[in-house]
Short mmCIF file of all heavy atoms in Angstrom, two decimals:
data_model
loop_
_atom_site.label_atom_id
_atom_site.label_comp_id
_atom_site.label_asym_id
_atom_site.label_seq_id
_atom_site.Cartn_x
_atom_site.Cartn_y
_atom_site.Cartn_z
N VAL T 198 5.70 5.44 8.15
CA VAL T 198 6.02 5.14 6.75
C VAL T 198 6.17 3.64 6.59
O VAL T 198 6.81 2.98 7.42
CB VAL T 198 7.32 5.83 6.30
CG1 VAL T 198 7.58 5.56 4.82
CG2 VAL T 198 7.28 7.32 6.58
N VAL T 199 5.58 3.09 5.54
CA VAL T 199 5.77 1.69 5.18
C VAL T 199 6.40 1.66 3.79
O VAL T 199 5.83 2.21 2.84
CB VAL T 199 4.45 0.92 5.18
CG1 VAL T 199 4.67 -0.53 4.75
CG2 VAL T 199 3.79 0.97 6.55
N VAL T 200 7.59 1.06 3.69
CA VAL T 200 8.25 0.90 2.40
C VAL T 200 8.00 -0.53 1.92
O VAL T 200 8.40 -1.49 2.57
CB VAL T 200 9.77 1.16 2.50
CG1 VAL T 200 10.45 0.90 1.16
CG2 VAL T 200 10.04 2.58 2.98
N ALA T 201 7.31 -0.64 0.79
CA ALA T 201 6.96 -1.95 0.24
C ALA T 201 7.93 -2.30 -0.88
O ALA T 201 8.08 -1.54 -1.85
CB ALA T 201 5.53 -1.94 -0.29
N LEU T 202 8.58 -3.46 -0.76
CA LEU T 202 9.54 -3.92 -1.76
C LEU T 202 8.82 -4.81 -2.77
O LEU T 202 8.47 -5.95 -2.47
CB LEU T 202 10.68 -4.68 -1.08
CG LEU T 202 11.46 -3.91 -0.02
CD1 LEU T 202 12.52 -4.78 0.61
CD2 LEU T 202 12.07 -2.63 -0.58
N GLY T 203 8.59 -4.28 -3.95
CA GLY T 203 7.93 -5.03 -5.00
C GLY T 203 6.43 -5.08 -4.83
O GLY T 203 5.87 -4.71 -3.79
N ALA T 204 5.76 -5.57 -5.88
CA ALA T 204 4.30 -5.60 -5.88
C ALA T 204 3.75 -6.56 -4.83
O ALA T 204 2.68 -6.32 -4.25
CB ALA T 204 3.80 -6.01 -7.27
N PHE T 205 4.47 -7.65 -4.55
CA PHE T 205 3.99 -8.61 -3.55
C PHE T 205 4.03 -7.98 -2.16
O PHE T 205 3.09 -8.11 -1.37
CB PHE T 205 4.85 -9.87 -3.60
CG PHE T 205 4.26 -11.04 -2.86
CD1 PHE T 205 3.33 -11.87 -3.46
CD2 PHE T 205 4.64 -11.31 -1.56
CE1 PHE T 205 2.78 -12.95 -2.76
CE2 PHE T 205 4.11 -12.38 -0.86
CZ PHE T 205 3.17 -13.21 -1.47
N GLY T 206 5.12 -7.29 -1.84
CA GLY T 206 5.20 -6.58 -0.57
C GLY T 206 4.17 -5.48 -0.47
O GLY T 206 3.58 -5.25 0.60
N TRP T 207 3.92 -4.79 -1.58
CA TRP T 207 2.92 -3.71 -1.64
C TRP T 207 1.53 -4.26 -1.30
O TRP T 207 0.81 -3.69 -0.47
CB TRP T 207 2.94 -3.11 -3.03
CG TRP T 207 1.99 -1.99 -3.33
CD1 TRP T 207 0.73 -2.11 -3.84
CD2 TRP T 207 2.24 -0.59 -3.20
NE1 TRP T 207 0.19 -0.87 -4.04
CE2 TRP T 207 1.09 0.09 -3.65
CE3 TRP T 207 3.33 0.17 -2.76
CZ2 TRP T 207 0.98 1.48 -3.68
CZ3 TRP T 207 3.24 1.56 -2.78
CH2 TRP T 207 2.08 2.21 -3.22
N GLY T 208 1.16 -5.37 -1.92
CA GLY T 208 -0.15 -5.96 -1.64
C GLY T 208 -0.28 -6.41 -0.20
O GLY T 208 -1.32 -6.21 0.44
N GLY T 209 0.78 -7.00 0.34
CA GLY T 209 0.74 -7.43 1.73
C GLY T 209 0.65 -6.26 2.70
O GLY T 209 -0.05 -6.34 3.72
N ALA T 210 1.37 -5.18 2.38
CA ALA T 210 1.32 -4.00 3.24
C ALA T 210 -0.08 -3.39 3.24
O ALA T 210 -0.62 -3.04 4.30
CB ALA T 210 2.35 -2.97 2.77
N LEU T 211 -0.69 -3.26 2.07
CA LEU T 211 -2.04 -2.69 2.00
C LEU T 211 -3.04 -3.55 2.77
O LEU T 211 -3.88 -3.02 3.52
CB LEU T 211 -2.47 -2.58 0.54
CG LEU T 211 -1.88 -1.43 -0.27
CD1 LEU T 211 -2.20 -1.60 -1.74
CD2 LEU T 211 -2.39 -0.07 0.24
N GLU T 212 -2.94 -4.85 2.61
CA GLU T 212 -3.86 -5.75 3.30
C GLU T 212 -3.71 -5.65 4.81
O GLU T 212 -4.70 -5.58 5.56
CB GLU T 212 -3.60 -7.18 2.83
CG GLU T 212 -4.56 -8.21 3.37
CD GLU T 212 -4.26 -9.59 2.81
OE1 GLU T 212 -3.42 -10.29 3.42
OE2 GLU T 212 -4.83 -9.95 1.77
N ALA T 213 -2.45 -5.62 5.28
CA ALA T 213 -2.21 -5.55 6.72
C ALA T 213 -2.63 -4.20 7.29
O ALA T 213 -3.20 -4.12 8.38
CB ALA T 213 -0.74 -5.82 7.01
N LEU T 214 -2.35 -3.13 6.57
CA LEU T 214 -2.76 -1.80 7.03
C LEU T 214 -4.28 -1.69 7.09
O LEU T 214 -4.84 -1.13 8.04
CB LEU T 214 -2.18 -0.72 6.11
CG LEU T 214 -0.67 -0.51 6.20
CD1 LEU T 214 -0.18 0.33 5.02
CD2 LEU T 214 -0.27 0.15 7.52
N ASP T 215 -4.94 -2.23 6.09
CA ASP T 215 -6.40 -2.22 6.07
C ASP T 215 -6.95 -2.94 7.30
O ASP T 215 -7.85 -2.45 7.99
CB ASP T 215 -6.88 -2.89 4.79
CG ASP T 215 -8.35 -2.64 4.49
OD1 ASP T 215 -8.95 -1.75 5.13
OD2 ASP T 215 -8.89 -3.32 3.61
N GLY T 216 -6.39 -4.11 7.58
CA GLY T 216 -6.85 -4.88 8.72
C GLY T 216 -6.57 -4.22 10.06
O GLY T 216 -7.25 -4.51 11.05
N ALA T 217 -5.58 -3.31 10.09
CA ALA T 217 -5.22 -2.61 11.33
C ALA T 217 -5.99 -1.32 11.52
O ALA T 217 -5.72 -0.57 12.46
CB ALA T 217 -3.73 -2.34 11.36
N GLY T 218 -6.92 -1.03 10.62
CA GLY T 218 -7.75 0.16 10.78
C GLY T 218 -7.29 1.38 10.03
O GLY T 218 -7.84 2.47 10.23
N VAL T 219 -6.32 1.24 9.14
CA VAL T 219 -5.90 2.36 8.30
C VAL T 219 -6.90 2.50 7.15
O VAL T 219 -7.40 1.51 6.61
CB VAL T 219 -4.48 2.13 7.75
CG1 VAL T 219 -4.08 3.21 6.75
CG2 VAL T 219 -3.48 2.09 8.91
N ALA T 220 -7.19 3.74 6.77
CA ALA T 220 -8.17 4.01 5.71
C ALA T 220 -7.53 3.79 4.35
O ALA T 220 -7.11 4.73 3.66
CB ALA T 220 -8.70 5.43 5.84
N VAL T 221 -7.44 2.52 3.94
CA VAL T 221 -6.84 2.15 2.65
C VAL T 221 -7.85 2.39 1.54
O VAL T 221 -9.01 1.98 1.65
CB VAL T 221 -6.40 0.67 2.67
CG1 VAL T 221 -5.94 0.22 1.29
CG2 VAL T 221 -5.30 0.46 3.71
N PRO T 222 -7.44 3.06 0.45
CA PRO T 222 -8.38 3.28 -0.66
C PRO T 222 -8.81 1.96 -1.28
O PRO T 222 -8.04 1.00 -1.35
CB PRO T 222 -7.55 4.10 -1.67
CG PRO T 222 -6.41 4.66 -0.89
CD PRO T 222 -6.13 3.68 0.20
N HIS T 223 -10.03 1.90 -1.76
CA HIS T 223 -10.56 0.74 -2.46
C HIS T 223 -11.19 1.21 -3.76
O HIS T 223 -12.06 2.07 -3.73
CB HIS T 223 -11.58 0.00 -1.60
CG HIS T 223 -10.99 -0.64 -0.39
ND1 HIS T 223 -10.31 -1.83 -0.41
CD2 HIS T 223 -10.96 -0.23 0.92
CE1 HIS T 223 -9.91 -2.15 0.81
NE2 HIS T 223 -10.28 -1.18 1.64
N PRO T 224 -10.76 0.65 -4.90
CA PRO T 224 -9.73 -0.38 -5.04
C PRO T 224 -8.36 0.13 -4.62
O PRO T 224 -8.09 1.33 -4.64
CB PRO T 224 -9.78 -0.73 -6.53
CG PRO T 224 -10.30 0.50 -7.19
CD PRO T 224 -11.28 1.09 -6.21
N GLY T 225 -7.48 -0.79 -4.25
CA GLY T 225 -6.17 -0.42 -3.75
C GLY T 225 -5.32 0.25 -4.81
O GLY T 225 -5.43 -0.05 -6.01
N PRO T 226 -4.46 1.18 -4.41
CA PRO T 226 -3.56 1.85 -5.36
C PRO T 226 -2.56 0.88 -5.95
O PRO T 226 -2.15 -0.09 -5.30
CB PRO T 226 -2.88 2.91 -4.49
CG PRO T 226 -3.00 2.40 -3.09
CD PRO T 226 -4.28 1.64 -3.03
N LYS T 227 -2.17 1.13 -7.19
CA LYS T 227 -1.23 0.25 -7.89
C LYS T 227 0.20 0.52 -7.44
O LYS T 227 0.59 1.65 -7.18
CB LYS T 227 -1.36 0.43 -9.40
CG LYS T 227 -2.67 -0.07 -9.97
CD LYS T 227 -2.69 0.04 -11.49
CE LYS T 227 -4.00 -0.51 -12.06
NZ LYS T 227 -4.03 -0.41 -13.55
N PHE T 228 0.99 -0.56 -7.41
CA PHE T 228 2.40 -0.46 -7.07
C PHE T 228 3.19 0.26 -8.15
O PHE T 228 2.94 0.10 -9.33
CB PHE T 228 2.99 -1.86 -6.86
CG PHE T 228 4.50 -1.85 -6.76
CD1 PHE T 228 5.12 -1.43 -5.60
CD2 PHE T 228 5.28 -2.23 -7.84
CE1 PHE T 228 6.51 -1.41 -5.50
CE2 PHE T 228 6.66 -2.22 -7.76
CZ PHE T 228 7.28 -1.80 -6.58
N GLY T 229 4.18 1.02 -7.74
CA GLY T 229 5.16 1.61 -8.64
C GLY T 229 6.34 2.10 -7.82
O GLY T 229 6.19 2.47 -6.65
N HIS T 230 7.51 2.09 -8.42
CA HIS T 230 8.68 2.59 -7.69
C HIS T 230 8.53 4.09 -7.43
O HIS T 230 8.27 4.87 -8.35
CB HIS T 230 9.96 2.35 -8.49
CG HIS T 230 11.18 2.78 -7.74
ND1 HIS T 230 11.80 1.99 -6.81
CD2 HIS T 230 11.89 3.95 -7.79
CE1 HIS T 230 12.83 2.65 -6.29
NE2 HIS T 230 12.90 3.83 -6.87
N GLY T 231 8.66 4.46 -6.17
CA GLY T 231 8.54 5.85 -5.78
C GLY T 231 7.11 6.33 -5.58
O GLY T 231 6.91 7.47 -5.17
N VAL T 232 6.12 5.48 -5.86
CA VAL T 232 4.73 5.87 -5.64
C VAL T 232 4.49 6.04 -4.14
O VAL T 232 4.94 5.25 -3.32
CB VAL T 232 3.77 4.81 -6.20
CG1 VAL T 232 2.34 5.07 -5.77
CG2 VAL T 232 3.86 4.78 -7.73
N GLU T 233 3.78 7.11 -3.77
CA GLU T 233 3.44 7.38 -2.38
C GLU T 233 1.93 7.46 -2.22
O GLU T 233 1.25 8.07 -3.05
CB GLU T 233 4.05 8.71 -1.91
CG GLU T 233 5.56 8.72 -1.88
CD GLU T 233 6.11 10.03 -1.34
OE1 GLU T 233 5.34 10.82 -0.73
OE2 GLU T 233 7.32 10.29 -1.53
N VAL T 234 1.44 6.83 -1.17
CA VAL T 234 0.01 6.89 -0.84
C VAL T 234 -0.11 7.26 0.63
O VAL T 234 0.31 6.48 1.49
CB VAL T 234 -0.69 5.56 -1.12
CG1 VAL T 234 -2.19 5.67 -0.80
CG2 VAL T 234 -0.49 5.11 -2.56
N GLU T 235 -0.65 8.43 0.92
CA GLU T 235 -0.86 8.82 2.31
C GLU T 235 -2.26 8.40 2.74
O GLU T 235 -3.24 8.65 2.04
CB GLU T 235 -0.69 10.32 2.51
CG GLU T 235 -0.82 10.73 3.98
CD GLU T 235 -0.56 12.20 4.22
OE1 GLU T 235 0.35 12.76 3.56
OE2 GLU T 235 -1.27 12.79 5.06
N MET T 236 -2.32 7.76 3.89
CA MET T 236 -3.59 7.25 4.41
C MET T 236 -3.75 7.68 5.86
O MET T 236 -2.77 7.95 6.56
CB MET T 236 -3.61 5.72 4.31
CG MET T 236 -3.58 5.20 2.89
SD MET T 236 -3.19 3.41 2.78
CE MET T 236 -1.41 3.45 2.97
#
């Protein structure tokens, strides 16, 4: 589980996960409180 604090943390988490080989959706999912994205 990755908990992203705010939209800036969310964007950084998606970018880092993508670079580590996680199947991140493109375009990336939008940030929201309580939003969950399983990858």
Side-chain angles (χ1 to χ4, degrees):
V198 183
V199 178
V200 177
L202 302 178
F205 194 85
W207 179 269
L211 283 170
E212 185 178 87
L214 289 167
D215 194 13
V219 174
V221 173
H223 293 281
K227 291 185 178 180
F228 169 77
H230 183 83
V232 170
E233 295 183 15
V234 181
E235 183 176 322
M236 295 166 280

